[in-house]
Amino acid sequence: MALRHRIIGKAARVYWRLFRPRTLTVRAIVWNGSGQVLLVRHTYGNLWHLPGGSAKKGESFEVALRRELEEEIDLCELTVERVVGIYHSTGEYKDDHIVIFAVRTRQAVRIADPNEVREIGWFSPDALPPDISPATNRRLGNYRRGEFALEPW
């Protein structure tokens, strides 16, 4: 199944290179009651990331966030704390706008879609994994500093 996601990802990058679409994406900094942050490792990559994904046409950012968290990690019970920032990325040949939310939960999570997410983990902010994506590490820094960021990804 991971092969299917890798093939879809490669096809998407070809499409993005040709058409340069504008995309809207949501991600979440998910905190538990123990002060740990949740990170995911997707089947199509090796680095740890914040959970989330693309907003569908007609969806608000909050609706997209809740849908993506339920689809990826079966997270339904959450409280949105704040928007951490709005970022812009032109990587992967698309014009992507990413909204990062900080959320809190006391709910246990699990991998809801093993075709997309291969691993989840709760980490202390001062003991993040060495293979965390650089952008994820920067977003966590924005959060820890209490910043509202409007910047490139």
Side-chain angles (χ1 to χ4, degrees):
M1 301 318 140
L3 176 62
R4 178 176 172 260
H5 278 271
R6 281 192 219 114
I7 292 169
I8 290 169
K10 287 181 186 209
R13 282 187 282 286
V14 169
Y15 175 84
W16 297 334
R17 183 176 281 209
L18 293 172
F19 297 102
R20 311 235 185 241
R22 173 163 289 157
T23 55
L24 303 173
T25 305
V26 293
R27 296 208 175 265
I29 299 174
V30 180
W31 296 99
N32 67 13
S34 301
Q36 297 172 308
V37 65
L38 179 86
L39 299 175
V40 300
R41 196 186 311 251
H42 292 100
T43 57
Y44 47 83
N46 293 319
L47 300 177
W48 289 96
H49 295 271
L50 299 172
S54 296
K56 294 180 180 177
K57 188 172 183 170
E59 273 186 327
S60 70
F61 287 121
E62 183 180 2
V63 168
L65 176 74
R66 290 179 183 278
R67 178 185 50 75
E68 282 290 337
L69 293 177
E70 186 173 356
E71 286 176 2
E72 284 191 359
I73 56 172
D74 200 29
L75 178 59
C76 304
E77 299 171 24
L78 60 98
T79 302
V80 175
E81 181 182 285
R82 69 181 175 97
V83 174
V84 175
I86 303 171
Y87 305 88
H88 182 236
S89 174
T90 55
E92 297 185 322
Y93 307 101
K94 57 185 175 174
D95 182 26
D96 195 16
H97 294 78
I98 306 117
V99 180
I100 305 289
F101 292 86
V103 304
R104 298 220 175 252
T105 190
R106 293 195 180 277
Q107 177 191 329
V109 297
R110 67 175 183 83
I111 296 172
D113 183 358
N115 294 319
E116 185 174 358
V117 176
R118 69 178 159 114
E119 191 175 0
I120 60 176
W122 290 102
F123 298 93
S124 171
D126 53 352
L128 296 171
D131 52 350
I132 188 173
S133 84
T136 297
N137 205 24
R138 288 192 302 272
R139 300 314 137 233
L140 290 170
N142 293 138
Y143 176 86
R144 284 192 299 266
R145 292 187 296 275
E147 298 172 351
F148 175 77
L150 291 169
E151 61 191 37
W153 185 245

